[in-house]
C-alpha cells in the first residue's frame, strides 16, 4: 500500500501563539529523560520543534534537535541513548523570530557555542527587539551566523566578551540585549537561569532530591515530581553548581512588567503565576466579565479549551447554567492525511463540534479567551446557528487585541488584527452575533489581583497588545516603519 501524504496543519490559525518553552535540570541521573518530560508539559508553548542538550564527563556535550512534538521525537529510546549525563536543557519552539513558517533545523534550540573556557548551550524564551541591529554589528565584526533566530545573537555576544567564565560572559551579552528573555543555559558543570529586567516571560526554580530544575512554568516541575521553590526574579541570574544555587543581579533594577496574557491564555491552567493559580485567575476573569457585560441567556458555553475557566466563572457569577455546547476532538493532532479542498474548507469542524441537542432553541453565551483575526469566531458562530441556537452572544476574556507583540508572541501584522481596524460594534456586526463584549483592561487587572485596576502611570503588567504601550521600544520594528501609539 502506498504511503498516504501527510501534511502539518497549524494548531490554531486564529490564536496568538506562545513563543517557546524552556526547561533544564542538573544533578539527576539520565537528565535527558527529565528534560523530555518537562518539555512534554510545556508543549502548549511551542509545537513546531524541540531540542535537548546534555553533558556527560566521559563523552562531552551531546544534542538532539528535531521537528515535531515531544511525544514523537523524545520517546524514542535510540534518540535518548545519545543524550547521556546528569545535566541537560531543552527547548520547545514556535517560531516568532527568524524564518516563520520556513524553519530550518539550524533554527531549532538549544544553541551551542564552544568557548576558550569550555562549551555552553542556551535556550531562550522571548524576543530580542534590537536583534537586527546586533546582528548587523556582529556580522560587520566577523561573526558568522548559522541560524535566522534572534537568540543566536546571545552566543555571538558571549564569544566577544573578555570575561573569564561563562556566567560573566552571559551577563555581558545580556546587558546589550533589549526586549524579553527568560533563559535556561548550561555549561559542563553549571545550570544557569536568567530573566530580563522587566520579567516579561516566566521562569521558575524547582528541587528534586539533590537535583535542581528550571522551567517556564510550574506544571513542568509537577510532571517530574519536583518541588516548586520560587520564581526567578525579574533581572535575576541564578547559577546552580555542586548542588548550590547562587543569585546574581546583573541588570539595573526596574519595575517588573510581566506579560498579562500569560494569565489569560498562554500558561497552562494548572500552573501558578506570581503565587496565583492560573485556573483561579481565569475563573475570576469570567466573574468580572459577567459583572461588566451581563446578558439574558439560557446557557454559558466555553470555546474549548482555553475559554473553559472563564466560562465557569461567568456562569457562577451570572447564575446562568454552564454547558458543554461545543465539544473538542481530543485526537486532532498536528498531522493529518492530506484533505481534499472540501474537507479543508470545513476548518474548525475538524477540531470542534456542536452539541446540537443542547443548543437547539437556546440563547447561548459563548466565552472565548480572545479575538485575533476573527476567522475562527465567525465559523464557531455559524456552527452554533446551524445547530438551531436562538441567539449567540460572545463574551471575550481579554480586552480587544489591537497591537502586535514584539516580546516573543507570534502576532499578525497590526492591520490584520480585527480590533485594530474596527470598533466593538463593527466587530459585532462583522462576526454576525447578537452581542459582543470584551472584558475591560481595568477588569482584567482586577481579576489578576490588582484591586484598583490598571494604574495608567505605572502599569503592573505588560499589556502592550491591548494598550499599545510598549515597555521596551521595539527598535528593530520602528526602524522598519512601525508606528507607535500617539501620546495622549
Amino acid at each position: 500500500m502506498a504511503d498516504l501524504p501527510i501534511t502539518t496543519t497549524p494548531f490554531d490559525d486564529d490564536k496568538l501563539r506562545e513563543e517557546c518553552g524552556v526547561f533544564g535540570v542538573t544533578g539527576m541521573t539520565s537528565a535527558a529523560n527529565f528534560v523530555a518530560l518537562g518539555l512534554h508539559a510545556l508543549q502548549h508553548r511551542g509545537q513546531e520543534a524541540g531540542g535537548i542538550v546534555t553533558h556527560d564527563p566521559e563523552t562531552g556535550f551531546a544534542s538532539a534537535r528535531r521537528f515535531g512534538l515531544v511525544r514523537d521525537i523524545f520517546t524514542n529510546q535510540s534518540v535518548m541513548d545519545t543524550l547521556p549525563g546528569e545535566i541537560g536543557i531543552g527547548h520547545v519552539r514556535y517560531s516568532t523570530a527568524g524564518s516563520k513558517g520556513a524553519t530550518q533545523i539550524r533554527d531549532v534550540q538549544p544553541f551551542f557555542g564552544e568557548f576558550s573556557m569550555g562549551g555552553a548551550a542556551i535556550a531562550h524564551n522571548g524576543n530580542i527587539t534590537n536583534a537586527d541591529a546586533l546582528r548587523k554589528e556582529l556580522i560587520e565584526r566577523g561573526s558568522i551566523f548559522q541560524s535566522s533566530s534572534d537568540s543566536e545573537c546571545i552566543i555571538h555576544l558571549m564569544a566577544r566578551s573578555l570575561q573569564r567564565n561563562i556566567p560573566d560572559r552571559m551577563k555581558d551579552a545580556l546587558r546589550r540585549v533589549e526586549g524579553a528573555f527568560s533563559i535556561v543555559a548550561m555549561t559542563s558543570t553549571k545550570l544557569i537561569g536568567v530573566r530580563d529586567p522587566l520579567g516579561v516571560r516566566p521562569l521558575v526554580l524547582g528541587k528534586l532530591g539533590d537535583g535542581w530544575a528550571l522551567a517556564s512554568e510550574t506544571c513542568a516541575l509537577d510532571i517530574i515530581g519536583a518541588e516548586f521553590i520560587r520564581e526567578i526574579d525579574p533581572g535575576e541570574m541564578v547559577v546552580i553548581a555542586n548542588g548550590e544555587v547562587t543569585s546574581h543581579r546583573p541588570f539595573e533594577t526596574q519595575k517588573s512588567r510581566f506579560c498579562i496574557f500569560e494569565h489569560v491564555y498562554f500558561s497552562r491552567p494548572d500552573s501558578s503565576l506570581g503565587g496565583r493559580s492560573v485556573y483561579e485567575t481565569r475563573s475570576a476573569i469570567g466573574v468580572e466579565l459577567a459583572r461588566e457585560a451581563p446578558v439574558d441567556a439560557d446557557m454559558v458555553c466555553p470555546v474549548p479549551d482555553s475559554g473553559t475557566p472563564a466560562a465557569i466563572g461567568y456562569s457562577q457569577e451570572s447564575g446562568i447554567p454552564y454547558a458543554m455546547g461545543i465539544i473538542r476532538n481530543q485526537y486532532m493532532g498536528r498531522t493529518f492525511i492530506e484533505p481534499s479542498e472540501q474537507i479543508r474548507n470545513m476548518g474548525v469542524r475538524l477540531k470542534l463540534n456542536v452539541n446540537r441537542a443542547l443548543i437547539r432553541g437556546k440563547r447561548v453565551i459563548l466565552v472565548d479567551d480572545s479575538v485575533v483575526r476573527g476567522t475562527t469566531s465567525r465559523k464557531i458562530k455559524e456552527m452554533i446557528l446551524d445547530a438551531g441556537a436562538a441567539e449567540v452572544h460572545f463574551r471575550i476574556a481579554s480586552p480587544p487585541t489591537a497591537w502586535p507583540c514584539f516580546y516573543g508572541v507570534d502576532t499578525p501584522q497590526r492591520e490584520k488584527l480585527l480590533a485594530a481596524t474596527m470598533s466593538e460594534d463593527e466587530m459585532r456586526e462583522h462576526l454576525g452575533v447578537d452581542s459582543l463584549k470584551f472584558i475591560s483592561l481595568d477588569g482584567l487587572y482586577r481579576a489578576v489581583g490588582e484591586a484598583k485596576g490598571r494604574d495608567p502611570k505605572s502599569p503592573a503588567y505588560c499589556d502592550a497588545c491591548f494598550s499599545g504601550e510598549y515597555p521596551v521600544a521595539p527598535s528593530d520594528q520602528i526602524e522598519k516603519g512601525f508606528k507607535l501609539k500617539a501620546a495622549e
Side-chain angles (χ1 to χ4, degrees):
M1 181 178 173
D3 288 342
L4 292 168
I6 299 293
T7 186
T8 300
T9 58
F11 188 69
D12 194 325
D13 65 355
D14 196 27
K15 293 288 184 189
L16 299 184
R17 271 173 266 202
E18 184 39 298
E19 59 301 329
C20 303
V22 294
F23 190 83
V25 297
T26 185
M28 298 185 192
T29 304
S30 301
N33 291 326
F34 289 95
V35 175
L37 285 169
L39 294 181
H40 182 76
L42 299 172
Q43 188 76 85
H44 59 289
R45 300 182 76 89
Q47 297 93 39
E48 190 177 52
I52 294 176
V53 173
T54 61
H55 182 272
D56 179 77
E58 292 184 10
T59 58
F61 287 94
S63 73
R65 298 184 291 170
R66 304 281 194 279
F67 291 114
L69 300 175
V70 174
R71 70 182 183 214
D72 298 324
I73 55 180
F74 293 123
T75 51
N76 186 318
Q77 193 58 48
S78 62
V79 173
M80 301 311 290
D81 287 344
T82 67
L83 297 166
E86 295 188 356
I87 183 169
I89 65 171
H91 186 272
V92 284
R93 168 189 172 88
Y94 181 82
S95 55
T96 61
S99 305
K100 287 186 189 176
T103 302
Q104 305 292 320
I105 197 67
R106 63 177 179 264
D107 295 324
V108 180
Q109 299 186 43
F111 291 135
F112 179 80
E114 193 73 60
F115 305 102
S116 58
M117 68 287 295
I122 183 168
H124 168 216
N125 170 14
N127 248 33
I128 298 171
T129 56
N130 64 334
D132 289 352
L134 288 174
R135 178 183 284 258
K136 182 180 178 186
E137 174 194 320
L138 287 162
I139 289 172
E140 286 175 350
R141 293 186 177 185
S143 293
I144 299 171
F145 279 75
Q146 301 296 316
S147 77
S148 66
S149 173
D150 61 334
S151 311
E152 193 184 348
C153 289
I154 300 168
I155 289 283
H156 289 287
L157 289 168
M158 288 171 64
R160 294 194 165 274
S161 170
L162 299 177
Q163 298 296 329
R164 294 178 178 272
N165 62 60
I166 297 293
D168 284 345
R169 285 193 173 207
M170 189 173 291
K171 290 176 190 175
D172 262 6
L174 294 176
R175 289 186 186 114
R176 295 285 318 280
V177 165
E178 297 170 7
F181 53 85
S182 280
I183 286 170
V184 171
M186 62 175 277
T187 68
S188 60
T189 58
K190 296 180 176 71
L191 182 66
I192 304 166
V194 198
R195 281 180 83 189
D196 69 73
L198 297 179
V200 176
R201 297 282 153 228
L203 190 64
V204 297
L205 175 68
K207 196 171 194 315
L208 180 61
D210 293 330
W212 293 90
L214 290 165
S216 290
E217 293 183 39
T218 59
C219 64
L221 301 178
D222 295 338
I223 201 172
I224 66 166
E227 176 192 1
F228 168 64
I229 300 299
R230 65 178 179 88
E231 295 184 356
I232 305 305
D233 289 336
E236 181 184 16
M237 170 187 278
V238 293
V239 179
I240 306 169
N242 302 316
E244 299 293 326
V245 180
T246 57
S247 175
H248 307 261
R249 304 282 173 166
F251 313 107
E252 191 175 314
T253 302
Q254 299 183 46
K255 186 179 187 298
S256 70
R257 295 288 296 275
F258 183 63
C259 171
I260 202 165
F261 215 84
E262 290 277 359
H263 286 287
V264 174
Y265 176 66
F266 294 143
S267 295
R268 262 179 43 168
D270 52 333
S271 285
S272 173
L273 295 173
R276 291 175 61 87
S277 155
V278 174
Y279 177 91
E280 290 176 2
T281 295
R282 289 178 188 166
S283 181
I285 290 172
V287 169
E288 286 289 339
L289 196 48
R291 291 170 181 166
E292 290 186 355
V295 62
D296 287 333
D298 301 307
M299 64 174 64
V300 178
C301 296
V303 176
D305 293 317
S306 53
T308 300
I312 291 171
Y314 193 104
S315 169
Q316 290 172 343
E317 179 65 17
S318 66
I320 299 170
Y322 171 89
M324 294 294 290
I326 303 172
I327 307 300
R328 175 178 282 276
N329 176 6
Q330 301 294 341
Y331 302 98
M332 175 66 186
R334 281 181 54 81
T335 57
F336 196 79
I337 296 170
E338 182 71 56
S340 66
E341 188 67 27
Q342 183 181 5
I343 292 176
R344 194 156 39 239
N345 287 339
M346 291 179 182
V348 176
R349 294 177 191 270
L350 294 171
K351 303 186 197 79
L352 305 172
N353 192 38
V354 175
N355 193 342
R356 289 176 171 268
L358 204 62
I359 293 293
R360 191 176 296 115
K362 299 295 198 306
R363 298 168 298 168
V364 181
I365 300 170
L366 290 177
V367 180
D368 204 355
D369 60 89
S370 60
V371 172
V372 182
R373 293 181 179 90
T375 52
T376 300
S377 301
R378 288 186 74 173
K379 290 174 183 174
I380 290 171
K381 178 267 303 186
E382 289 164 5
M383 289 166 59
I384 294 288
L385 289 177
D386 286 348
E391 296 175 7
V392 179
H393 303 272
F394 261 115
R395 293 296 178 267
I396 310 301
S398 62
T401 305
W403 295 85
C405 174
F406 300 118
Y407 306 131
V409 179
D410 182 48
T411 320
Q413 293 176 324
R414 184 155 194 255
E415 58 270 20
K416 293 182 179 178
L417 294 168
L418 208 63
T421 58
M422 296 183 187
S423 67
E424 194 171 281
D425 280 343
E426 288 169 334
M427 283 190 277
R428 181 198 61 75
E429 193 171 323
H430 173 76
L431 296 175
V433 292
D434 292 280
S435 72
L436 169 69
K437 294 292 180 184
F438 296 80
I439 192 170
S440 68
L441 201 46
D442 277 335
L444 178 57
Y445 268 74
R446 287 193 292 270
V448 299
E450 299 289 321
K452 295 181 180 179
R454 182 181 191 266
D455 179 355
K457 294 180 180 177
S458 181
Y461 290 87
C462 176
D463 53 30
C465 55
F466 307 131
S467 66
E469 297 175 17
Y470 294 93
V472 179
S475 53
D476 285 347
Q477 297 300 321
I478 292 169
E479 187 74 20
K480 294 172 183 175
F482 179 75
K483 296 286 191 286
L484 293 174
K485 182 180 178 181
E488 295 178 355

